Amino acid sequence: MPKETAVYTHGHHESVLRSHTWRTAANSAAYLLGSLEPHMKVLDIGCGPGTITADLAELVPDGHVTGVDHAPGILDTARATAAERGLDNVDFAVADVHALDYPDDTFCGVHAHQVLQHVGDPVRALSEMRRVCRPGGVIAVRDADYSAMTWYPGSPVLDDWLDLYLRVARANGGEPDAGRRLKSWALEAGFTDIAASAGTWCYSSEEERAWWSGLWADRTVASSYAERAVATGHADAEQLADIAAAWRAWGSRKDGWFVVLHGEILCRK
């Protein structure tokens, strides 16, 4: 069975986890919540530090949530997140979404947030999600669409950031404009009952601008993404420093506004 071949672009630098630990079921999986029932058994793919996973576990108190991730190290953080919240209906494991180690029809629901943009074969991944989901169950997938991100005021250097990110992510084997492709990939994976939607994150207040610009400034010079950008010849340290400075300059603007667009699909098996 196919195995993961793409390289995860962001890695787990502190600047990345600063973003990932902010995520909740409310701000990142609202389109799914109406489909959850207290007894459900749920698989959370690409769980990262486990904040969404823990929220899902609280929403299915009579059920169970399994969080899986391709990176073993981050699962210690996820386990600590669940333990801090006193949850006993959640467990974690290493997994490859292209070849999930679960029998057919195991879960009532399967969730993946910001996963398909980073995998080598998103159609295969969706097929695996469909396989392990029970008939009548729900598969929920949400991914950002980088080319659809927009901000004000304009900045030629942030334009360069976007161009660079797209090139690095694709060189890593992923598809950073995954959001717009989710429905198409789901159709290729054999789904026929697909509800497609979109969601956003918007950063505009002083606190939001400082947080968003700061984590991207740090990510641009210090994360696995920065290392890959230099190692693959897409940028040098000076260019990355210029982009980081542009992020901080944008964050200092009182009229600053940034929107991340996400594609979403809710599929029934």
Side-chain angles (χ1 to χ4, degrees):
M1 192 171 287
K3 294 289 185 179
E4 175 63 271
T5 56
V7 175
Y8 178 48
T9 296
H10 298 289
H12 293 100
H13 183 264
E14 182 277 331
S15 61
V16 178
L17 294 182
R18 205 182 311 163
S19 171
H20 291 184
T21 56
W22 166 83
R23 298 172 183 174
T24 66
N27 67 30
S28 299
Y31 70 108
L32 164 65
L33 303 189
S35 300
L36 296 178
E37 298 179 16
H39 68 277
M40 291 179 75
K41 184 177 182 180
V42 178
L43 177 65
D44 186 25
I45 297 173
C47 66
T51 51
I52 297 176
T53 319
D55 283 352
L56 296 177
E58 289 180 344
L59 292 167
V60 292
D62 302 321
H64 190 87
V65 177
T66 296
V68 298
D69 202 281
H70 196 248
I74 196 61
L75 294 178
D76 290 337
T77 303
R79 293 185 181 100
T81 299
E84 288 169 5
R85 293 168 63 167
L87 297 168
D88 60 5
N89 65 332
V90 60
D91 70 299
F92 297 93
V94 176
D96 175 3
V97 69
H98 297 96
L100 294 169
D101 192 23
Y102 299 102
D104 295 359
D105 307 336
T106 297
F107 299 96
C108 307
V110 180
H111 170 258
H113 185 263
Q114 312 299 350
V115 172
L116 294 191
Q117 63 185 280
H118 297 296
V119 306
D121 189 344
V123 174
R124 177 68 209 177
L126 281 163
S127 296
E128 276 291 275
M129 294 182 209
R130 186 173 186 270
R131 180 185 65 79
V132 301
C133 190
R134 296 172 184 171
V138 62
I139 296 92
V141 180
R142 188 178 199 244
D143 268 274
D145 193 297
Y146 274 76
S147 290
M149 293 182 188
T150 189
W151 58 88
Y152 183 87
S155 165
V157 183
L158 288 186
D159 291 341
D160 292 342
W161 158 75
L162 180 57
D163 176 70
L164 174 64
Y165 182 84
L166 295 172
R167 287 186 283 114
V168 172
R170 287 176 176 141
N172 284 344
E175 176 44 71
D177 291 343
R180 69 187 67 186
R181 292 171 165 82
L182 295 183
K183 183 179 179 181
S184 175
W185 288 338
L187 288 167
E188 288 187 60
F191 288 102
T192 57
D193 186 346
I194 306 167
S197 58
T200 61
W201 291 332
C202 183
Y203 306 106
S204 182
S205 72
E206 182 177 1
E207 181 180 20
E208 290 166 346
R209 295 193 319 271
W211 179 77
W212 184 245
S213 64
L215 69 85
W216 266 107
D218 292 344
R219 191 181 303 191
T220 298
V221 296
S223 69
S224 296
Y225 155 64
E227 294 171 2
R228 293 285 297 182
V230 173
T232 54
H234 291 287
D236 58 32
E238 183 178 356
Q239 290 169 310
L240 295 181
D242 288 344
I243 291 172
W247 270 113
R248 295 193 187 281
W250 172 84
S252 70
R253 291 285 301 250
K254 291 183 178 180
D255 57 352
W257 180 87
F258 197 107
V259 169
V260 179
L261 178 70
H262 307 269
E264 303 164 342
I265 52 171
L266 203 60
C267 306
R268 291 285 178 180
K269 181 173 176 180

